[in-house]
Amino acid sequence: MSEPVIESMIEVGSHLAGAVDRAHREGVPTIITRDGKQEAVVIGIEEYRQLRRLADEAEDSWLNRLADEAERAGSAGATTLDEMAAVLRHEEC
């Protein structure tokens, strides 16, 4: 991945299509700032999908480790993987 371009909300607003094209065609993300703080990033859809897949795989791996640890500990009344995922997702809100 190339070094990101950093631009303010106003700058990106004046040429959003350019930021999208740069992300899609060149793989160069644009970090968008507001009041000097980084707020968002424009990345290509394939990069987003890859990041989402990696995040999902990491979450699944972590949940599987938790389930394995609980099983090894012989915890009575252990919850299913789906139940744990639902609880954890609810806590993120």
Side-chain angles (χ1 to χ4, degrees):
M1 178 191 311
S2 299
E3 285 296 312
V5 172
I6 300 174
E7 296 182 327
S8 71
M9 185 86 68
I10 293 169
E11 292 169 321
V12 172
S14 69
H15 64 89
L16 180 59
V20 171
D21 287 344
R22 184 171 49 230
H24 175 71
R25 292 194 180 112
E26 301 168 29
V28 177
T30 299
I31 296 173
I32 303 170
T33 63
R34 180 178 7 201
D35 299 326
K37 297 178 186 171
Q38 296 181 350
E39 295 282 333
V41 64
V42 176
I43 59 174
I45 191 66
E46 290 307 317
E47 186 170 355
Y48 168 78
R49 288 178 179 146
Q50 180 181 8
L51 290 170
R52 188 70 244 161
R53 182 184 52 78
L54 290 171
D56 289 344
E57 288 173 1
E59 181 182 37
D60 288 347
S61 176
W62 179 67
L63 290 172
N64 283 330
R65 279 195 312 273
L66 285 177
D68 290 345
E69 289 172 13
E71 187 176 320
R72 278 193 302 277
S75 300
T79 60
T80 67
L81 184 60
D82 289 336
E83 291 168 335
M84 285 193 304
V87 168
L88 293 170
R89 286 190 180 107
H90 179 69
E91 288 177 1
E92 291 177 355
C93 297

